[in-house]
Amino acid sequence: MNPSGFAVAIDGPVGVGKSTVAQQLASNLHMTYIDTGAMYRAVALFNLRQGTDRHDATAIAASLPHIEIALTPAGAVLLNGEDVSHEIRNQLLAEYTSTIAAYAPVREKLTQQQKHLAANAHVVMDGRDIASYVLPWAQVKIYLDADVKIRAQRRYDELQAKGQPADFARVWEETLIRDERDKNRAHAPLVRTQDAIYIDTSNMSPGEMLEAITCHVKNKLVRKDG
Ligand code: DC
């Protein structure tokens, strides 16, 4: 239970556009943005660099005491003090992350840290299990969704914009595989909680998504103050 903080939990599948909208929302409302996906990616990067097989759950669990992750107020992701904000965004790492995010010890470590980060702060936190496991007390819970083909297209466009080579059919297939893993893993799978506001963003621009979520948050803040 959080004694004093205000939290907006934003969950949803890969490629739905959570991070962009969550980051913008946090900035507009002067709240702290916590990108939980980046934390899973940092754990993956540490292990990838060690040459660990992503399917070796025992080795991944053994690496955890050697990993310290921090998110700076400016939005950088630090892995044992090193700024890895750019390196964690590459495609190869996305696959690796999706596999290791299913391991219970990884989830336990990061969930504890995420709960701690949100205690006594005002946060916008995005991920897969924020409303269900990390911050079940969050005052605002949003579940963003979109048609899988549209999400694959958004990811493809993002990669193109970053100059990373991509093939649409491959991106689409990877999106389906990651959906499958996120929704069907044993520990903290992606679920839409009963109390979350469901927003289908298939036909929405990032600006419209931001407007819709801001409206829900402001309503809640007005009711809290009133
Ligand atoms: O949102 P993203 O693509 O940066 O997330 C990277 C991976 O981490 C993705 O495979 C899902 C996983 N993840 C998770 O399991 N739980 C979270 N709260 C956030 C991300």
Side-chain angles (χ1 to χ4, degrees):
M1 187 66 195
N2 186 26
S4 59
F6 183 87
V8 180
I10 303 181
D11 291 297
V14 57
V16 78
K18 295 184 297 289
S19 346
T20 315
V21 78
Q23 203 167 3
Q24 194 62 55
L25 180 77
S27 160
N28 291 353
L29 300 177
H30 307 290
M31 293 168 76
T32 303
Y33 170 52
I34 299 171
D35 177 354
T36 64
M39 298 171 76
Y40 285 91
R41 286 169 181 263
V43 171
L45 179 62
F46 179 92
N47 281 283
L48 183 68
R49 282 177 173 176
Q50 303 275 312
T52 306
D53 177 353
R54 67 186 158 121
H55 300 291
D56 187 346
T58 310
I60 305 276
S63 75
L64 296 174
H66 307 287
I67 298 175
E68 195 185 308
I69 297 161
L71 305 176
T72 72
V77 183
L78 307 184
L79 169 60
N80 293 333
E82 176 194 349
D83 187 342
V84 293
S85 313
H86 295 293
E87 209 178 331
I88 56 170
R89 296 293 157 204
N90 92 45
Q91 264 307 90
L92 181 67
L93 194 72
E95 261 306 289
Y96 197 108
T97 311
S98 171
T99 303
I100 63 118
Y103 302 148
V106 173
R107 303 208 69 82
E108 274 156 28
K109 177 185 170 90
L110 298 186
T111 299
Q112 283 316 311
Q113 187 178 354
Q114 289 153 12
K115 282 177 188 281
H116 184 73
L117 288 171
N120 309 312
H122 299 316
V123 300
V124 177
M125 190 180 281
D126 77 349
R128 306 293 192 284
D129 58 343
I130 311 307
S132 54
Y133 284 90
V134 184
L135 307 177
W137 53 264
Q139 288 85 352
V140 182
K141 297 179 177 180
I142 308 281
Y143 188 94
L144 296 180
D145 207 354
D147 180 82
V148 64
K149 198 165 178 185
I150 289 173
R151 289 187 284 118
Q153 185 68 51
R154 286 178 187 164
R155 288 190 57 221
Y156 175 79
D157 292 344
E158 219 174 84
L159 292 169
Q160 294 281 88
K162 280 193 226 156
Q164 290 188 23
D167 168 62
F168 180 72
R170 180 92 205 275
V171 174
W172 187 359
E173 196 189 325
E174 278 171 10
T175 306
L176 286 169
I177 293 171
R178 287 175 63 192
D179 272 0
E180 175 70 17
R181 282 204 201 109
D182 284 345
K183 290 180 179 169
N184 296 312
R185 65 173 170 239
H187 310 288
L190 170 66
V191 285
R192 172 186 161 194
T193 59
Q194 293 260 326
D195 53 356
I197 295 153
Y198 180 86
I199 305 178
D200 183 342
T201 71
S202 298
N203 297 309
M204 289 171 103
S205 67
E208 288 167 334
M209 281 161 67
L210 179 63
E211 203 179 307
I213 299 173
T214 304
C215 194
H216 289 296
V217 175
K218 288 198 168 157
N219 276 344
K220 200 67 178 192
L221 284 169
V222 167
R223 266 185 270 147
K224 188 177 166 243
D225 293 341

